[in-house]
Amino acid sequence: MTNNIVVLGAGVSGLTTAYLLSQDPANKITVLAKHMPGDYDIEYASPWAGADYMPMGKEGSAHQAWEQATWPALKELAEKHPEAGLHFRDSWIYNRTKDQKSLAGQFFSELVQPNPWYKDVVPDFKSVPADQLSPSIHNAQSFTSVCINVAVYLPWLVGQCVKNGAVFKRAVLKHIADAALAHHTGQKADVVVNCTGLSSKSLGGVLDDKLYPARGQIVVVRNDPGPMVSVSGTDDGDDEVLYIMTRAAGGGTILGGSYQKHNWDSLPDPNLANRIMKRAIAFSPQLVGKGQGIEGLDIIRHSVGLRPLRDGGPRIEKDKVNGVSVVHNYGHGGFGYQASYGCAESTVSLVKEVLENKSRAKL
Ligand code: FAD
């Protein structure tokens, strides 16, 4: 018994789902995508991410469960598979009193909780004693997180899938149902997994108008300040954020950023770039030499990516489009990596349900 499966999309969602599915030799998988690892495009969110593990799901939500389920997988990769491009990193979280109601404050609201659910998930969680905090900081904490060099990790995922027999093909589809006709065997796929991120807004047969972008502008530099930092907000605008993370294996340091909802602009804004760099140095002066400002940064590039946000959260569910069985896995906003294994596991369970129903129907 073999199962013909097409995974549409080769971002972190599609690749992680294909990787888990490919571990069952009964699954014959085609990964079909417009963009593949190595490409940089505004329609392709995954290459622009930092990416780190900074939990954001509300306690008790599916989002929390997906993030919680993902930590052990990322930890194991950092411990046992350094070639995947992940490393452990000390992380500091600062919650400013003034950000409680701002947009940025809402983006980070779960992360910066003084007593967050993830304290029992990540190693070394510690709260900074109140008497050691500066007056503007409501609470602060540290823990060990990971930072993923996505330029190494995405190709690593491709390699794992290929090793397990998956076939990769380029294609641009107008309609989700067309994916069923693109399996590498020439046979019709039993199920299509839709991992097209923000493009599910315009993909025929999906047309999900709950999707919208949250624009993230970053500066990638060669400087290495040490620990990772995330702050609940900035003084430069409601939708500007401050985070710093150094990628594994020479991937550079990401200075962020912004969280600009409904903004599709793909070009870096030079004024925003200035503010990002100044904020990062003000918070982590060790980024540059003593007394230096932004001239002390060794810039690799300025970049913009669009986080695929969805009202109501990611869509992970079964669907039937023009007679084709589809399982969706898209709409992961700013947490596509840190929820990747949890979301892919839920998706794989739904794929199994579809396949079981099909084989029952054949009996
Ligand atoms: P995408 O990466 O966008 O992939 C979509 C895929 O579908 C592509 O292969 C595309 O070519 C394909 N596709 C789409 N339409 C079609 C079509 N019609 N035909 C064929 N193929 C199609 N997340 C974290 O967990 N941690 C972080 O630290 C983090 N930092 C971030 C920082 C920034 C600046 C940004 C922008 C994002 C960040 N994210 C982070 C979020 C994360 O990057 C996204 O949630 C994630 O990349 C979404 O992945 P995806 O696979 O769902 O979509």
Side-chain angles (χ1 to χ4, degrees):
M1 178 79 181
T2 57
N3 309 309
N4 290 337
I5 302 172
V6 170
V7 176
L8 184 62
V12 67
S13 309
L15 294 176
T16 313
T17 309
Y19 174 40
L20 297 189
L21 285 168
S22 73
Q23 289 166 3
D24 180 346
N27 293 336
K28 303 294 169 217
I29 297 159
T30 305
V31 180
L32 203 65
K34 181 174 180 183
H35 305 99
M36 295 280 180
D39 299 343
Y40 285 88
D41 194 283
I42 196 66
E43 290 178 11
Y44 188 26
S46 294
W48 307 113
D52 60 14
Y53 183 88
M54 295 287 154
M56 293 168 189
K58 277 217 175 338
E59 193 159 5
S61 66
H63 183 165
Q64 181 210 331
W66 291 320
E67 287 181 334
Q68 194 161 339
T70 300
W71 174 256
L74 299 182
K75 177 171 175 277
E76 186 178 320
L77 287 172
E79 274 169 357
K80 299 190 184 146
H81 301 277
E83 73 282 6
L86 286 79
H87 66 176
F88 292 113
R89 209 73 183 170
D90 288 345
S91 306
W92 289 84
I93 311 295
Y94 297 92
N95 188 15
R96 306 187 323 164
T97 309
K98 60 168 91 163
D99 297 327
Q100 307 306 306
K101 291 213 170 72
S102 73
L103 186 64
Q106 286 164 28
F107 172 45
F108 281 144
S109 68
E110 293 301 313
L111 176 69
V112 301
Q113 291 290 320
N115 187 27
W117 60 263
Y118 64 82
K119 68 180 190 309
D120 302 321
V121 175
V122 293
D124 311 318
F125 184 91
K126 283 185 210 75
S127 297
V128 177
D131 60 0
Q132 290 174 25
L133 296 172
S134 73
S136 61
I137 302 292
H138 183 268
N139 62 281
Q141 48 237 28
S142 65
F143 59 93
T144 300
S145 183
V146 290
C147 189
I148 308 171
N149 182 346
V150 302
V152 174
Y153 181 57
L154 294 172
W156 181 85
L157 282 171
V158 173
Q160 300 308 300
C161 294
V162 170
K163 197 164 76 179
N164 292 340
V167 173
F168 281 72
K169 284 169 59 176
R170 294 264 186 175
V172 184
L173 298 193
K174 289 205 161 66
H175 199 283
I176 185 72
D178 296 342
L181 305 175
H183 196 266
H184 64 274
T185 57
Q187 295 164 357
K188 191 173 176 196
D190 297 300
V191 55
V192 169
V193 185
N194 173 27
C195 301
T196 53
L198 194 55
S199 298
S200 278
K201 194 174 180 63
S202 52
L203 180 63
V206 188
L207 298 177
D208 188 336
D209 59 14
K210 290 186 179 157
L211 280 164
Y212 61 96
R215 180 179 181 277
Q217 180 168 327
I218 54 173
V219 185
V220 188
V221 298
R222 295 186 178 85
N223 311 56
D224 182 350
M228 304 203 288
V229 171
S230 297
V231 186
S232 57
T234 75
D235 292 339
D236 293 329
D238 207 31
D239 55 7
E240 297 194 20
V241 291
L242 166 49
Y243 61 87
I244 302 173
M245 60 177 101
T246 303
R247 288 172 165 177
T253 296
I254 310 290
L255 310 180
S258 67
Y259 195 76
Q260 297 163 299
K261 290 186 175 183
H262 304 284
N263 184 333
W264 294 83
D265 191 354
S266 64
L267 293 178
D269 167 354
N271 293 313
L272 173 54
N274 252 337
R275 295 194 292 274
I276 289 172
M277 293 186 285
K278 283 186 172 170
R279 289 195 295 256
I281 293 169
F283 217 89
S284 288
Q286 73 275 18
L287 248 176
V288 290
K290 207 163 185 254
Q292 283 187 310
I294 62 174
E295 75 283 2
L297 291 173
D298 187 355
I299 298 170
I300 302 171
R301 63 179 169 271
H302 295 277
S303 309
V304 173
L306 301 180
R307 301 176 182 89
L309 236 86
R310 184 172 182 271
D311 280 335
R315 184 176 182 202
I316 301 182
E317 66 182 20
K318 291 186 285 186
D319 195 4
K320 198 99 177 177
V321 185
N322 295 357
V324 172
S325 297
V326 176
V327 177
H328 299 286
N329 180 15
Y330 66 81
H332 304 90
F335 50 89
Y337 285 84
Q338 63 197 36
S340 55
Y341 283 87
C343 291
E345 282 158 11
S346 298
T347 307
V348 170
S349 300
L350 297 178
V351 169
K352 280 186 185 153
E353 282 178 25
V354 171
L355 294 170
E356 277 160 18
N357 284 343
K358 287 211 163 173
S359 51
R360 239 180 267 126
K362 278 185 197 153
L363 292 177

